Amino acid sequence: MTVTAPGTAGATATSTTDLDAARAALRSRLLDDGVLVDLGSPGLYGRTGVFERVYSAVDAAEVRIHEDLDAEVLRFPPVEPLTAFERTDYIASFPDLAASISGFTGDDRTHRALLAARERGERWESFLQPADLMLTPAVCHPVYGLLSGTLPVGGRTFDILGDSFRREPSLDPMRLQAFHMHEFVHVGTPESAKQHRDGRIPGMRALLESFGLEIDVVPANDPFFGRVGQMLARNQVEQALKFELVTPVYGQDRPWTAIGSANLHEDHFGTSFAIRTADGGVAHSACVAFGLERVTIALFAAHGTDPDAWPRSVRAALAL
Ligand code: ATP
Ligand code: MG
Ligand code: ZN
C-alpha cells in the first residue's frame, strides 16, 4: 500500500499523473545510469554490479542490527508447495497478488495443438496444467509448516532471506513483481511476539536514518482483496498489527514508500499450522523485514547513482 505523508491528511498535493511522471523519471534514471536492466516486463529487472554492491551492503547492515537475536538462519526456494500455501490463507486475502507454477503434462497430440496455437501467434499457456507449486509471496511462509507441534520455552527466532513474487506489475521502480525480503521472524507467546515486533523497530529506523534517508513509522494495512478485505484492512490498522517504515522517495508531498515493515500476525499462523507454546497456548508470530530492493533504490534516489560520490557518513553507515 501507499501511505500519505504526515500532514497531508489523505489528499496528496500532486496528481496521479504527476506521481507517475516522478516514478517514470526515477525508473529512466536507474536504467540510463546502468543500475537496473529492463527485462521488458513491468516490475522485472536485471541488476548490475553497482546495484549489487549497495544491495549487499544494505543486507549486511540489516543483519548487523539483528545480530543480538541469534536467529536461526533458514533459506527457502522461490516456490512453495501448494499444501503449505493453502494453510497460510493467502489466496483468501490476496488472490490478485498470488501466482502459481504450471507445467506441460500432455501427450504428443496436445503438444502439436500447443505448437499450432503458437504458430498462429496465440498464447499457449492454457496448454499447461497447474502444478502443486506456488510462487512464494512472503518469505516467512515456509517456516510455519516446520514448527507444527510445541515450541521450546522462549519460542524460536529465524533469519529468513528469500525471493518474493507478487503479481503487481507496475512502472514504479519501487514496486517490483519479483524482489527480496530479509525477515527476522519470531514465533512464541503473545507477549514475546509483540515484544519482537515492537522491539526491533527503533533499530531499523535508526539504521535507515544513518543511511541518510528520512523515515517515518506509520500504522499500515495490507491490501486485502474485495469488500471483505476492506474490513480486514480497517481491523489491521485499528489493532495496530502492521507498521511500515516509510520514506519520501518521490518528494515530501507525494505518498511515501514502505521500505520496511513490522507485522504482528497474532495467532494466525499458530492456529493454521498447529503451533503451540511451551505452556500449551496457541503460538503467536511476528516478523520484521526490509524490502532489500526498495531500500537499495531509495538510496540511489536520495543520493544519486554513483555510490562513490555519496556523503561520507552514508558510506560509513553502509560500510561501503
Ligand atoms: P506495499 O504496501 O508497498 O505494497 P507491503 O505492505 O505489501 O508493501 P510487506 O508485505 O509488508 O509489504 O512486505 C515487506 C517489505 O517488502 C515491504 O516493506 C517492502 O519493503 C517490500 N515490498 C513489498 N512489496 C514489494 C514490491 N512489490 N516490490 C518491492 N518490494 C516490495
Ligand atoms: Mg503490497
Ligand atoms: Zn513474514
Side-chain angles (χ1 to χ4, degrees), residues 138-141 144 160 181 183-185 263 265 269 286-289:
V139 304
C140 64
H141 278 180
Y144 306 108
I160 307 177
M181 259 182 231
E183 293 205 49
F184 288 80
V185 184
N263 301 282
H265 317 124
F269 294 118
C287 48
V288 298

Side-chain angles (χ1 to χ4, degrees), residues 158-238:
F158 299 92
D159 159 335
I160 307 177
L161 161 63
D163 290 87
S164 177
F165 184 93
R166 293 182 187 176
R167 183 70 183 146
E168 46 186 359
S170 168
L171 290 175
D172 179 358
M174 295 298 271
R175 186 166 301 285
L176 309 176
Q177 293 198 73
F179 56 97
H180 296 84
M181 259 182 231
H182 201 152
E183 293 205 49
F184 288 80
V185 184
H186 175 80
V187 189
T189 62
E191 297 74 31
S192 70
K194 184 161 191 308
Q195 168 55 33
H196 175 76
R197 199 274 310 264
D198 295 341
R200 305 321 294 181
I201 293 175
M204 293 166 74
R205 177 183 192 146
L207 182 68
L208 295 172
E209 286 174 342
S210 76
F211 295 167
L213 300 174
E214 187 180 350
I215 298 295
D216 198 9
V217 178
V218 296
N221 62 270
D222 286 309
F224 293 99
F225 185 78
R227 206 136 15 118
V228 174
Q230 285 176 9
M231 221 170 58
L232 292 172
R234 259 198 310 277
N235 271 352
Q236 200 181 21
V237 174
E238 270 161 25

Side-chain angles (χ1 to χ4, degrees), residues 1 166 168 175-176 179 242 244 258-261 291 294:
M1 65 154 242
R166 293 182 187 176
E168 46 186 359
R175 186 166 301 285
L176 309 176
F179 56 97
K242 182 182 178 90
E244 287 182 332
I259 56 177
S261 73
R294 282 206 184 162

